[in-house]
Amino acid sequence: RDTLKSSYVARTVSQAETLILQADAARAALTYPTAIAALGNAAALLAEVEALGMSRDAMKARTNALWDLGDLLAVTGDSGAAMQRYLEWNAIAIGRVAEAPDDTDWQRNLAVSHNKIGDILSAQGDLTGAEAAYSAALAIGIALASDDPDNVIWQRDLTVSYNRLGGIQQAKGDL
């Protein structure tokens, strides 16, 4: 049974990886509907087998697929569907950080999901919601940067969060 389970997980992850490659090719060719379908299928496959146990890379592939899917949906004007993917990603990231609170990759993944949610809320005119999402990302960024001040990725993430919060403050008229 364990061999069957392992084989099922490996084949499903492989199929999802193939779909992600197809999505990348479709995105490069600007055939967004094909890329969206492939990423949606890949994310669904990875969700199906995650509880059975999969590698860290496959777990990251799932959140990356949701990230890319949300971005494509936003680019094609479907902000509601983009928000759903970002919220799904955010929920997964919250769980992963809860399971491994010292894992900086999962913390960053969570922070980026907050920023993406903030982007959609800002575009929809919910400045208060966007500010809360960006502030959540900033709090994670501050913690990561203070623990490792020489990490340029953490510094970049801080800049992104500060810029987004500054944009919200400007939109609110708080110069």
Side-chain angles (χ1 to χ4, degrees):
R1 289 164 52 101
D2 288 341
T3 302
L4 287 173
K5 182 176 87 171
S6 294
S7 178
Y8 172 68
V9 170
R11 288 176 184 258
T12 303
V13 168
S14 177
Q15 183 180 4
E17 289 169 345
T18 300
L19 287 166
I20 291 168
L21 290 173
Q22 289 173 357
D24 289 344
R27 185 178 9 196
L30 304 178
T31 53
Y32 294 144
T34 301
I36 288 168
L39 285 170
N41 290 334
L45 285 170
L46 293 169
E48 181 181 312
V49 296
E50 185 166 359
L52 299 175
M54 60 187 189
S55 71
R56 179 182 175 85
D57 286 343
M59 291 169 64
K60 288 178 87 172
R62 181 174 178 209
T63 55
N64 288 344
L66 291 168
W67 177 347
D68 290 344
L69 181 56
D71 287 354
L72 283 172
L73 290 163
V75 163
T76 59
D78 193 346
S79 64
M83 178 62 96
Q84 290 303 317
R85 298 299 74 77
Y86 292 150
L87 289 171
E88 183 180 349
W89 166 24
N90 181 262
I92 294 165
I94 288 170
R96 290 188 179 147
V97 168
E99 291 171 3
D102 295 331
D103 189 318
T104 57
D105 286 337
W106 290 138
Q107 289 177 31
R108 180 173 190 265
N109 192 272
L110 176 58
V112 175
S113 73
H114 282 303
N115 276 333
K116 292 295 186 170
I117 290 167
D119 291 345
I120 295 292
L121 291 172
S122 178
Q124 293 174 340
D126 181 357
L127 301 181
T128 301
E131 183 176 22
Y134 293 148
S135 294
L138 177 63
I140 295 167
I142 289 171
L144 290 172
S146 67
D147 289 344
D148 186 4
D150 295 328
N151 186 314
V152 295
I153 294 171
W154 305 156
Q155 297 303 321
R156 179 210 167 270
D157 289 351
L158 276 178
T159 301
V160 168
S161 292
Y162 281 127
N163 283 339
R164 286 178 170 155
L165 280 167
I168 293 297
Q169 294 303 320
Q170 185 178 22
K172 287 179 155 185
D174 184 358
L175 302 180

